[in-house]
Amino acid sequence: ELKVEQNPLFLSMQEGKNYTIYCNYSTTSDRLYWYRQDPGKSLESLFVLLSNGAVKQEGRLMASLDTKARLSTLHITAAVHDLSATYFCAVDNDSPGNSGYALNFGKGTSLLVTP
Amino acid sequence: EAQVTQNPRYLITVTGKKLTVTCSQNMNHEYMSWYRQDPGLGLRQIYYSMNVEVTDKGDVPEGYKVSRKEKRNFPLILESPSPNQTSLYFCASSFGGSGNTIYFGEGSWLTVV
C-alpha cells in the first residue's frame, strides 16, 4: 500500500521567514504533485514533478523531487500572509498493467503565516 | 473558462434516500475521478474513469456507484446514503493518465442524518 507522509502537519511561521514542508512516500514513483487548498475551497494545482531532480518554482514557493530518497520538498521563501493555506502532496500509484491511476494524498500541512 | 462543475455544492439528506452528485467538465478530458475528503484522513479516491463507459474502483468504493455515458459527465450516485458518507466530495479530471495536471471541482458538502 502506498503511503504518503507529510510533515509538519501544522506550521505557524512569521512573515518573512523561510521554511520547508517535507513529503515522504513509500513506493517508487517519479510523479509527485503539490496542491494548495484554502478553507472551504477546492484544490489548486501548484506543481507537477515528473522526474528525479525536478525543481519548479512559482513566486515564493519552490518544489523539488528526489525519487531515490522518495522525498519531495516544498520550500517557502520570505513567507507572506497570503500563503496561509493547507498544502497537500500527492503521489500517483500508476504501475505497469494498471488501466488507471489514483493520486494518493498526504494528510496536508496547515500553514499559518502571522505578522 | 476551463471548469469542473459539481452540483449540489451543499446537501443535507436523510439515511437511505438516494442521491446523485453531478460532475461536468468542459475541457474534453478523458480521465475523471471522485474523491472524498475527511478530517485527518486527507483525500481518498472513490472511483475513476479512463473514458466513456470505462470505470473502476478506487480505494473507498463501498456505498457508491458511478457511470460515464458521456465524456464530459461523471455523476456519483449514493443509492442508500448512510451517516458515514458525510463528507466533502471532489470531482476531478485530466487529460489522459499519469503525469498530467488534475483539475478539481469546487467540492460538494454532503451531510447524511
Side-chain angles (χ1 to χ4, degrees), chain A residues 13 17 36 38 58-61 75-87 111-113:
Chain A
M13 57 190 297
K17 299 291 188 185
R36 168 184 171 141
D38 293 295
E58 181 73 33
R60 300 174 188 275
L61 301 178
H75 186 72
I76 303 157
T77 302
V80 293
H81 179 69
D82 285 352
L83 289 180
S84 297
T86 299
Y87 293 85
L111 171 65
L112 176 64
V113 181

Side-chain angles (χ1 to χ4, degrees), chain A residues 1-4 91-93 98 101-105, chain B residues 31 33-36 41-48 56-64:
Chain A
E1 179 189 345
L2 172 58
K3 291 191 189 323
V4 182
V91 178
D92 84 43
N93 65 352
N98 266 8
Y101 75 106
L103 290 186
N104 287 266
F105 283 82
Chain B
Y31 181 87
S33 60
W34 278 100
Y35 290 83
R36 61 178 288 174
L41 296 176
L43 284 92
R44 296 174 293 167
Q45 192 186 55
I46 303 170
Y47 269 96
Y48 65 89
D56 208 347
K57 297 176 181 178
D59 292 327
V60 288
E62 293 79 21
Y64 304 95

